[in-house]
Every structure is written in structure tokens, then in C-alpha cells.
Amino acid sequence: MNYVDGFVVGVKEENRETYRRHAQIAAGVFKEYGALNVVECWGDDVPEGKLTSFPMAVKLEPGEVVVFSWVVWPSRAARDEGMKKVMADPRTQPDALPMPFDGKRLIYGGFEVIVDV
């Protein structure tokens, strides 16, 4: 069964195109190192919650939008190996590909797929 890395972050509305270009470049690197699919989603209907919500989780600031993304890998082993290569690749280093968001508020994690219909 596949393995998925998930990400949620707040991005300034004015940085949408900058983020899209950043994500497009990063997606190519992820796929080069074994990812099957990379999806980036710009928040369109992301309500503020009372106890929990995406905006609360990323400490969304005024003028920001929640971005939800995931990378699908063939397995956890492929992800572990591929992610090492992605992180070491010069194309993904901050001087080559600056993050158009506050990385301290990025939420991420790896997930074992248990249902895929």
C-alpha cells in the first residue's frame, strides 16, 4: 500500500503565484526521487473552528490562506529514501528555492494508507 506525506501551511494571498511556482519546482524534484503524485491545494472553503481547524492549526495570520498538500509514495521505504534525496538536492535548498511561507508554522507528517478506493 502507498505512503503519503501531508502538509498544511498558511501562505499570504499575495504569494499565490510565487507559492505555485515553488510547488511546481519542488514537485518535479519529489517525482524525480520516486514520488508517484504531488498535489497542492489553495484553500477556498476553510472555516475557522471553535476548538480545532486548519486556520487555528497553522496560526493563520490576516491576509493568509491555508494550503493543503500531499505527496504519494509507493511505500514508506521509498519515501524515506526519496525524502533524504529531496532534502539534500541543491534545487530544494533555501538559497535556490526560498520558501514563500513561514516554515515554523508548517504542519507535516507521514501516513500509512489504510483505504484507497
Side-chain angles (χ1 to χ4, degrees):
M1 194 71 53
N2 292 341
Y3 194 81
V4 175
D5 279 318
F7 307 90
V8 182
V9 69
V11 178
K12 290 182 189 260
E13 291 177 26
E14 64 202 39
N15 286 345
R16 180 180 172 139
E17 183 57 24
T18 302
Y19 182 86
R20 192 198 62 73
R21 285 192 309 268
H22 171 97
Q24 188 75 43
I25 292 165
V29 177
F30 276 101
K31 292 204 65 174
E32 184 177 320
Y33 293 124
L36 301 174
N37 194 24
V38 179
V39 178
E40 296 280 350
C41 304
W42 191 260
D44 182 44
D45 182 18
V46 186
E48 182 72 43
K50 294 198 186 294
L51 295 177
T52 63
S53 67
F54 282 122
M56 292 169 74
V58 299
K59 298 184 179 182
L60 199 68
E61 295 179 355
E64 289 184 334
V65 172
V66 173
V67 173
F68 177 53
S69 343
W70 63 91
V71 179
V72 180
W73 301 92
S75 66
R76 168 75 190 264
R79 177 270 207 157
D80 290 349
E81 185 63 30
M83 192 60 84
K84 281 183 210 172
K85 291 176 181 176
V86 168
M87 293 302 174
D89 192 294
R91 295 170 291 176
T92 62
Q93 300 310 303
D95 56 327
L97 190 63
M99 291 189 296
F101 54 86
D102 180 359
K104 291 180 270 181
R105 294 186 289 131
L106 171 69
I107 298 169
Y108 62 92
F111 301 85
E112 179 182 345
V113 175
I114 60 171
V115 175
D116 186 2
V117 180

